[in-house]
Amino acid sequence: MSETRIPATPPLLTVAGVTRRFGALAAADDLNLAVLPGEIHALIGPNGAGKTTTCALISGELAADEGRIGFDGRDVTAEGVVARARRGLVRAYQVVALFPTLTARETIEVALIAPTRSVWRPFAARDRDRRLADSAGEVLRRFGLDPDDRRPAAVLSHGERRRLEIALAAARRPRLLLLDEPLAGLGPEESAAMVETIRTLAADATILMVEHDMEAVFALAGRVTVLVAGHAIATGTPDAIRADARVIKAYLGEDDAG
Ligand SMILES: Nc1ncnc2c1ncn2[C@@H]1O[C@H](COP(=O)(O)OP(=O)(O)OP(=O)(O)O)[C@@H](O)[C@H]1O
């Protein structure tokens, strides 16, 4: 008799019993979450559920009061943002807040220089600059941005800025990319383009994304975790989540359940 076995894949990221309090409020409350290598995992939940707090706990911006965070088999609970980013755990940040006066290409060049300085060292300065510009151009074109655009990041359209943010994070070649509401504020066309961008990104990186747009979540995610009051109430495939009575009651509502 043959038996179908599902190989147990160790998670790339494990959030184990993590609690983070702000005064009397537990924004993350004994939270458990596992992100498997290669998946697009969506974190959804009502306003104030603790999604952004969870992102910050995972990236290392916020320290956990209790619990452990594991990445790639190591306990990274005590590590800060930079140490976790070096391991490949990278969050996409708002570009305009970082480099408002740089062009898209300069922004990406800065990101490319940082982790690979030693790789460029053997080349002559001019050759090095050309290679850097070529690499930055490649990254930008991949995200539908024009490498020859001379405008500073501050005046790019909202959609262009969101794409530049993700391009900047992707240029670091993360193993796990954290995206906090990548579709927020985008129109229908820009949203559709962003969904495709995220799908492309998933070829090279595992993705954990917080998103309110359920159509996009259910189109992109392999698994979904539902957060309510700092607690993960369910994790499963989009179909399982849509059919989960607890999720319908707490978040999705009857209309979205069909
Ligand atoms: N720095 C802080 N100080 C005090 N309370 C905070 C802080 N950050 C978050 N909170 C509170 O923690 C709870 C969770 O907030 P969080 O932003 O993580 O939720 P969210 O699920 O991302 O919400 P939204 O969908 O509205 O972005 C909220 O009640 C919020 O007011």
Side-chain angles (χ1 to χ4, degrees), residues 58-82:
I58 293 170
S59 67
E61 289 154 77
L62 277 178
D65 293 321
E66 284 161 39
R68 320 293 315 168
I69 295 181
F71 182 68
D72 196 21
R74 285 169 202 273
D75 187 332
V76 299
T77 315
E79 293 184 356
V81 176
V82 174

Side-chain angles (χ1 to χ4, degrees), residues 86 109-123 128 132 172:
R86 273 206 196 100
E109 286 179 355
V110 168
L112 290 174
I113 287 170
T116 56
R117 210 169 28 223
S118 59
V119 173
W120 304 107
R121 201 168 289 145
F123 301 109
R128 203 161 55 210
L132 190 57
R172 311 257 348 233

Side-chain angles (χ1 to χ4, degrees), residues 22 25 27 46-53 181 212:
F22 295 113
L25 174 88
N47 289 331
K51 303 179 296 295
T52 296
T53 301
E181 298 197 38
H212 281 286

Side-chain angles (χ1 to χ4, degrees), residues 84-248:
R84 292 188 202 186
R86 273 206 196 100
R87 295 193 189 281
L89 203 176
V90 173
R91 178 173 176 180
Y93 288 98
Q94 289 195 351
V95 169
V96 168
L98 292 175
F99 309 120
T101 58
L102 298 190
T103 66
R105 201 180 77 193
E106 288 163 344
T107 303
I108 299 300
E109 286 179 355
V110 168
L112 290 174
I113 287 170
T116 56
R117 210 169 28 223
S118 59
V119 173
W120 304 107
R121 201 168 289 145
F123 301 109
R126 211 174 38 165
D127 199 22
R128 203 161 55 210
D129 288 351
R130 187 179 50 74
R131 281 164 189 261
L132 190 57
D134 285 352
S135 299
E138 215 173 280
V139 171
L140 288 167
R141 275 188 288 272
R142 191 170 158 217
F143 291 93
L145 295 162
D146 177 4
D148 297 321
D149 192 336
R150 300 302 306 160
R151 290 175 300 160
V155 303
L156 296 179
S157 75
H158 185 68
E160 287 169 326
R161 263 185 269 157
R162 301 303 319 234
R163 271 180 282 149
L164 182 56
E165 270 163 46
I166 296 180
L168 179 62
R172 311 257 348 233
R173 298 185 175 277
R175 299 191 56 206
L176 177 69
L177 180 58
L178 286 173
L179 302 175
D180 193 358
E181 298 197 38
L183 302 186
L186 299 185
E189 264 177 43
E190 284 178 331
S191 288
M194 183 60 85
V195 165
E196 284 319 306
T197 299
I198 295 170
R199 223 192 286 278
T200 311
L201 268 174
D204 301 321
T206 302
I207 295 176
L208 176 63
M209 61 180 238
V210 169
E211 186 50 63
H212 281 286
D213 181 331
M214 286 307 115
E215 203 181 314
V217 163
F218 290 129
L220 280 170
R223 293 196 311 147
V224 178
T225 291
V226 184
L227 208 60
V228 174
H231 203 71
I233 63 161
T235 293
T237 61
D239 283 349
I241 289 297
R242 256 193 293 239
D244 189 309
R246 290 163 306 173
V247 175
I248 295 167

